[in-house]
Amino acid sequence: MIRKLGASEEVPYSLLLLADETKEAIGHYLPDASVYVWEEEDNMIAVYVLTVTGADSMEIMNLAVEPSRQGEGIGLRMLEHATETARSLGFSRLDIETSNAAWGPLYLYQKAGFEIDRLRKDFYRKRYPAPIRENRLLLNHMIVLRKTLL
């Protein structure tokens, strides 16, 4: 079900854009990252992007599940797969980030064993020219969550 996307395969931007605002934002991390997809009957229904961020750490840069399939545990399975992938590659830490207004992802990430590590204040106001809202709240800060893999 979950597999690494081949270098010559088309990137599933329709899924990635569920979790990131623009292709430009995705383009910043995609060249140095590995893309993993959940596939059923040749349909990609979920994706995550994993990249090395330090000598002992990796980060999930994007995690998205087709809206019609959310709530089925696919996101949790993708997080478990990312954890096992990072661990098998010898990394001891795995990070993931989300906004201050992303209640669903915050719950999911903590359910998967990630803990809030730090806050990147004013991240969205500095990075995006127009205000962004989620759950009717203004996105201001980025919350960084970390999972220890040892």
Side-chain angles (χ1 to χ4, degrees):
M1 282 190 182
I2 302 173
R3 66 175 182 84
K4 187 174 181 179
L5 196 67
S8 63
E9 290 185 272
E10 189 172 325
V11 174
Y13 281 104
S14 61
L15 285 171
L16 294 171
L17 286 166
L18 294 171
D20 256 316
E21 300 302 317
T22 64
K23 278 190 175 181
E24 182 181 68
I26 295 165
H28 283 101
Y29 58 77
L30 207 53
D32 298 320
S34 297
V35 178
Y36 294 84
V37 295
W38 178 300
E39 202 169 44
E40 291 179 1
E41 299 175 7
D42 294 328
N43 293 317
M44 293 182 197
I45 60 166
V47 64
Y48 77 84
V49 179
L50 193 59
T51 191
V52 176
T53 54
D56 63 347
S57 62
M58 295 190 89
E59 183 176 340
I60 300 169
M61 302 300 295
N62 188 309
L63 171 67
V65 177
E66 183 68 41
S68 66
R69 299 295 303 272
Q70 291 176 4
E72 295 180 22
I74 295 168
L76 187 58
R77 292 274 318 276
M78 295 293 274
L79 288 168
E80 290 167 352
H81 188 272
T83 297
E84 289 309 311
T85 299
R87 185 179 286 129
S88 72
L89 293 170
F91 292 92
S92 60
R93 291 191 333 242
L94 182 59
D95 292 343
I96 192 165
E97 300 176 343
T98 194
S99 78
N100 59 285
W103 305 325
L106 272 172
Y107 172 76
L108 176 65
Y109 302 159
Q110 291 176 86
K111 185 176 177 180
F114 289 83
E115 295 182 354
I116 295 173
D117 185 66
R118 64 188 180 282
L119 187 71
R120 296 172 64 187
K121 290 191 68 69
D122 300 319
F123 176 86
Y124 292 96
R125 282 191 274 181
K126 292 176 183 174
R127 181 170 250 190
Y128 295 97
I132 302 170
R133 293 192 175 274
E134 185 173 346
N135 295 319
R136 299 188 316 190
L137 292 176
L138 187 63
L139 272 61
N140 293 318
H141 315 300
M142 177 75 77
I143 299 171
V144 181
L145 296 98
R146 174 167 288 167
K147 187 173 189 178
T148 301
L149 306 177
L150 299 176

